[in-house]
Each structure stands twice: as structure tokens, then as C-alpha cells.
Amino acid sequence: MIPDDLRSALDRWVYPYCVKEISKTGNGLINTTYLIETVKDSANESCDFILQKINTAIFKDVDGLMNNIEKVTNYLRIKLVSQGIEDVSRRVLTIKYFCDDKGRHSYFKDRNGDCWRVYLKISNAKSFERMENSSMAELAGRAFGKFHESLSGFDASSLIEVLPGFHNTPMRIENFINKIELDRVGRLSEVQEEVDFLLERRERYSQVVKMGREGILPIRVVHQDTKFNNVLLDENNDILCVIDLDTIMPGYICYDVGDAIRSGANTGDEDDQDLTRVSMDIEIFRGFVKG
């Protein structure tokens, strides 16, 4: 799982700690994640790290990706310190830099061309896969609201779009129309009612981007993957921090609310084959917005 040159690099990467064990962890769909456990000895307490293989098929500009994360985490860390917050390393992601004779790097490229990064593992933290009730939804809403509030003074234009048009609905609609016109496998007639439903509402679905272009909605730092499992909590279920910052980009806060509801208020699975299970839990929506 771990190339030899990366394994050798890890000894320097996590210095002064010594690698004890590397094991696969998490259930993310995009990047591959490993837990690095280190040896506890008389000189150093053990300290665990998160190693991730970045999916370069999705994130083609790794420099831009890591630059975004560096800028946002540095900004949050400075703000937390200025507020006198204790345990700052538990309140924001900490990039572990790899150093060699060429300098300090936020990621390592192995001989196969794969890119890897290391974060400090946030201690005594937990997460939940989904918002199971309105109270959990309120907690999630509060976490992402706090995230936006903390970054309200950050210049979002300094971030690059690592996934251009990721939540741009008009662009998605145009792509959809192109697919309809091609009808490559002749299935359009089977779903014409659903297609008509969507296209009749195309103007309504494009309102967020339209209001942004008109200056009604401000451009802000947006997380764009607001699933509840990206919120870390402590042992008392108090909010620690928001993680998985790969998709932080300039955008509109509406994107983060909509994405949270799309995934979190769905009573079925995202890819559910039984459509009778799929509906929207309005109490989840209310709890999230309240938070």
C-alpha cells in the first residue's frame, strides 16, 4: 500500500517521532486515508498522524489544492490564537510539512507520481456519519456556521477553484441539456417527465448564481462538502473543528446549506435504488438552519 520511497520519507516526515504502524482508515470516496501510529518512548510522547494519498484524477492541481488549505488553516490558527483558544491543534487541521534539501513542502510526490500529505491527527475526536435527528442537525449547522463566521474576513478571491463550477447550477443545467440532445443510449423517452420537471424550473434553480453575479450575494470561502461526518466533536459532543478542506473555494454560503440538506435531510441513501425511501426530512432542514 505504501511505496518504498514514501515509507523512507515518512521517517523524516514525522520526526522526532518513530513510525510504529500504518493502517488504512476512514471511508472517504475520493482520497485514500491511513493512520500513522508512532512509538511512545522516554524522550517523546507518541503522536499519531493522518496520511492521505491525494486523488489526482479529481484534484489535478495539487499545488493549488494544498495552497488553498494552507491559507485557510493558517488564517484560522492565527484567529484562534488571538482569541486565546486553548488546544488550537484540536480546533483546526495542522499540515505536517515534509522537508528536504529543496525546502519545505506540504505534500510528497513518490516515484510513481502519486501525491501524499500528512496531517496531525486530532486527538480524542469523533464524528457521526449523518444527522439522525434535528438536534444533530442543529449541531452540524452550528459547526458550519461557526466555520463561515471565522472566515468572514478572509479574502475568498485569493483561493483558486480546484473544481471549477463545482456547484454552478446553470453550468450543470447546460451540461444536462447537452446530454439530453445527444441521448446516446436512447433512454430519454423513459424519463421525459422528469426531464421536463427539471427544465421547467431551470430559472429558479439558477437564482443563486444569478444573485451572485448581480452582487446581491457576497463571494465567501465555502466548504462545499458539508456532510456531518466532516465535523469533529469532542467526548462531550462539543464542536472541535471542520475537516476535509479539499473543496474550499470561492462561492456562496447557499452552496453549503444546500449541500448539507441534499445529503443530510435525505431519508434514503444518496444512490438509493428504492425511491419509496427517498424524501426530505423537514425537521433536519429546520435544525440545520437554526444551528
Side-chain angles (χ1 to χ4, degrees), residues 14-238:
V14 301
Y15 181 83
Y17 306 100
C18 297
V19 177
K20 175 184 177 184
E21 187 175 351
I22 304 174
S23 57
K24 204 165 181 181
T25 187
N27 57 359
L29 299 176
I30 306 299
N31 301 313
T32 309
T33 304
Y34 303 87
L35 171 65
I36 302 175
E37 296 178 85
T38 62
V39 177
K40 183 176 181 179
D41 58 31
S42 56
N44 295 297
E45 290 289 319
S46 62
C47 183
D48 295 339
F49 299 90
I50 296 295
L51 169 69
Q52 285 189 317
K53 181 181 177 181
I54 300 169
N55 187 332
T56 52
I58 302 289
F59 301 110
K60 302 181 189 302
D61 181 2
V62 179
D63 286 329
L65 169 74
M66 294 308 298
N67 190 47
N68 280 359
I69 296 172
E70 284 183 276
K71 284 181 177 179
V72 167
T73 53
N74 287 342
Y75 182 91
L76 290 172
R77 180 168 288 102
I78 291 168
K79 195 161 190 177
L80 288 165
V81 170
S82 71
Q83 293 170 345
I85 302 295
E86 296 181 358
D87 295 335
V88 170
S89 62
R90 299 182 73 207
R91 305 288 176 171
V92 63
L93 283 176
T94 301
I95 299 169
K96 179 72 173 173
Y97 289 90
F98 173 74
C99 298
D100 59 15
D101 55 3
K102 295 179 181 178
R104 191 177 80 149
H105 315 279
S106 59
Y107 68 94
F108 173 86
K109 183 179 282 191
D110 68 25
R111 63 168 58 99
N112 301 318
D114 291 322
C115 297
W116 303 79
R117 66 184 170 203
V118 170
Y119 290 120
L120 178 69
K121 183 179 183 293
I122 295 175
S123 61
N124 300 317
K126 62 181 179 181
S127 64
F128 294 95
E129 275 306 301
R130 59 183 302 151
M131 302 178 284
E132 296 176 0
N133 52 53
S134 60
S135 296
M136 292 174 80
E138 185 175 342
L139 189 63
R142 199 156 69 246
F144 286 109
K146 184 179 179 182
F147 178 79
H148 287 135
E149 181 188 36
S150 297
L151 290 166
S152 61
F154 185 93
D155 180 10
S157 67
S158 69
L159 301 178
I160 69 157
E161 282 195 88
V162 289
L163 300 173
F166 186 52
H167 277 142
N168 185 314
T169 308
M171 190 185 82
R172 299 278 186 170
I173 291 171
E174 289 306 313
N175 291 341
F176 181 53
I177 291 171
N178 291 337
K179 299 297 184 186
I180 291 168
E181 291 173 350
L182 290 172
D183 191 19
R184 288 189 187 276
V185 292
R187 292 190 298 195
L188 178 59
S189 60
E190 300 172 26
V191 292
Q192 191 64 57
E193 184 179 350
E194 288 84 355
V195 167
D196 292 343
F197 179 92
L198 291 171
L199 293 185
E200 284 167 7
R201 292 160 175 78
R202 60 187 296 186
E203 292 301 319
R204 186 172 162 192
Y205 294 162
S206 301
Q207 282 300 303
V208 170
V209 171
K210 182 172 182 254
M211 291 169 72
R213 286 174 181 160
E214 293 172 354
I216 298 169
L217 294 179
I219 292 283
R220 297 194 184 280
V221 180
V222 185
H223 186 278
Q224 310 221 51
D225 189 16
T226 46
K227 293 183 176 67
F228 191 30
N229 60 8
N230 284 331
V231 175
L232 292 189
L233 307 169
D234 68 11
E235 56 275 13
N236 300 315
N237 285 342
D238 291 328

